[in-house]
Amino acid sequence: MLKEKLLELRQQALSNIDSADELKALQEAHVRFLGKKGPITEILKGMGKLSKEERPDVGKLANEVRQLIAARIEEKKTDLEARLLDLKLESEKLDVTLPGRKTVPGSHHLLASIIREVEDLFIGLGFSIEEGPEVEQDYYNFEALNLPKDHPARDMQDSFYITDDILMRTHTSPVQARTLEKHKGVGPVKIICPGKVYRRDNDDATHSHQFMQIEGLYVDHKVRLSDLKGILTVFAKHMFGADREIRLRPSFFPFTEPSVEMDISCFKCGGHGCNVCKGTGWIEILGAGMVHPNVLRMSGFDPSEYTGFAFGMGPERIAMLKYGIEDIRHFYTDDIRFLKQFYRA
C-alpha cells in the first residue's frame, strides 16, 4: 500500500508543479510534498515499522519519488524565472532609436561673470585674492579701519548686529585689516577682496540689504596716489572700453586719506551728455584713496616706512551700467527670463 501511495503522491506532485504559473505556487508545492511535515517525509520516518523484505523496495521508491519531485520543481523554477525576466525586459525596454533629450547647459550668474572678469584682470596685475568671514567682529569691521565706536561715519553703514560685538560685515574692508595684521608689519601686501556684504537698507531699484563688493589694497614702500590712478585707469579701460578716461574727485572715507571718487567718461555718449551720465558726461564708478596712517599703524605697519592705496567697487553697479539694468533687485530674484539675457556675458 505504501508503494501505491508513493506513486499516487508522485502523480499529484507532478500535476501541481506543471500547473504552477508563479513562483509562489511552486514554493507551496515544494512545502506540501517535500516539507518536513509532508507525506513523503512521513513515509520515510515510518520505514522502521516495515518488514525487512519491504523496507528496501519502499525506501528506494520513496527516494526516487522525492528526487523526481525536487528535480521537476527546480526545472519549473528555472522556467518561471526566465518568463518573468522576459516580461520585465519587455516592459522596461529602451528604444535606442528615439532621439535623445537635449541638455541645456547652464552659465555663470551675471554678477559672478563680472567678479571673475575683475579677478582675472587684477591677478594679471600681480594681485592675489583674499576672502574672509561674512559674520564679522566689530573691531575688524570698524575699529581697525579708523572707525571707533563713537565715530559718526558708522551711521552710513548701519548693519545687522548679532551681538554688541558681532555683526554681518558692511564691506569687505575687514579682509584688508585681517590680511595686514597677518603680515605682521612686513610688505608688500597686494590683494583684492570680493564677497557679499550687508547693510540695513530699504530695498528699492538702487539699494539692497545684501550686495556684492570688490575691494583692493596695495601696501608697500613708496606707493603713491599716481600708482592708484594708473591701476584704476587700466581697470576702467578693460571693463568699459579702451577709449575711456577717468577723473578723481576729492571725497571722504574714514580709512583713507586723501580719499577720492573715481568717475569714467560716459561710454554711451563719449562725454557729451546723455541719460546714462545724466548730462554730465561722467559716471561715478568707485571710491578709493591712500590708506590712512591709523589703519596701517593698527595693523602693525609703520606709516613712516609703508604707504598704500585702497579702492572699492560694486559688481552690481558695473553690471547695471554695462548692460542697462535699471533695478538691482533683478540680480537676486532668480528670474530665468532675466538671467538668460546674459547667457554669454
Side-chain angles (χ1 to χ4, degrees), residues 44-176:
L44 290 172
K45 286 180 180 180
M47 291 287 292
K49 298 178 183 180
L50 299 175
S51 64
K52 293 180 179 181
E53 292 78 14
E54 292 179 307
R55 198 177 301 161
D57 293 337
V58 174
K60 180 181 179 182
L61 181 59
N63 284 324
E64 288 176 351
V65 170
R66 185 173 62 177
Q67 291 171 7
L68 177 62
I69 294 171
R72 186 64 66 85
I73 288 174
E74 192 62 33
E75 181 181 334
K76 185 68 174 182
K77 180 182 178 183
T78 301
D79 180 58
L80 288 175
E81 288 177 343
R83 289 189 205 172
L84 288 174
L85 180 60
D86 289 341
L87 290 172
K88 189 174 183 181
L89 291 174
E90 181 66 25
S91 62
E92 297 179 2
K93 70 179 181 180
L94 177 66
D95 186 352
V96 296
T97 65
L98 288 172
R101 294 178 180 175
K102 184 178 180 180
T103 301
V104 180
S107 63
H108 292 297
H109 191 282
L110 179 57
L111 293 182
S113 297
I114 294 289
I115 292 170
R116 283 170 177 260
E117 186 176 357
V118 174
E119 287 177 345
D120 288 345
L121 170 65
F122 281 96
I123 288 172
L125 294 172
F127 287 73
S128 61
I129 299 172
E130 290 287 342
E131 296 180 340
E134 295 177 20
V135 180
E136 186 56 274
Q137 298 178 37
D138 180 274
Y139 172 79
Y140 288 109
N141 196 80
F142 291 124
E143 293 183 46
L145 300 170
N146 202 35
L147 281 160
K149 290 187 180 298
D150 58 349
H151 200 295
R154 285 198 180 201
D155 294 340
M156 296 187 297
Q157 297 189 24
D158 195 10
S159 182
F160 299 97
Y161 279 84
I162 298 171
T163 69
D164 289 342
D165 297 313
I166 303 294
L167 70 156
M168 304 300 291
R169 67 183 182 187
T170 61
H171 44 190
T172 57
S173 301
V175 182
Q176 298 183 31

Side-chain angles (χ1 to χ4, degrees), residues 225-241:
L225 185 63
S226 58
D227 298 319
L228 170 63
K229 183 178 180 182
I231 287 287
L232 295 182
T233 300
V234 172
F235 162 76
K237 291 180 179 295
H238 176 83
M239 296 299 294
F240 296 100

Side-chain angles (χ1 to χ4, degrees), residues 225-268:
L225 185 63
S226 58
D227 298 319
L228 170 63
K229 183 178 180 182
I231 287 287
L232 295 182
T233 300
V234 172
F235 162 76
K237 291 180 179 295
H238 176 83
M239 296 299 294
F240 296 100
D243 55 347
R244 295 283 68 74
E245 296 179 2
I246 75 166
R247 73 176 183 183
L248 301 179
R249 292 180 289 107
S251 186
F252 168 76
F253 302 108
F255 27 80
T256 54
E257 180 61 37
S259 302
V260 297
E261 297 278 0
M262 186 190 95
D263 302 333
I264 63 169
S265 57
C266 182
F267 47 81
K268 182 176 181 181

Side-chain angles (χ1 to χ4, degrees), residues 321-339:
L321 289 170
K322 286 188 70 171
Y323 299 106
I325 299 167
E326 298 180 349
D327 195 323
I328 193 174
R329 291 170 291 193
H330 288 320
F331 294 117
Y332 299 106
T333 54
D334 292 333
D335 189 330
I336 197 68
R337 296 169 299 177
F338 170 78
L339 298 174

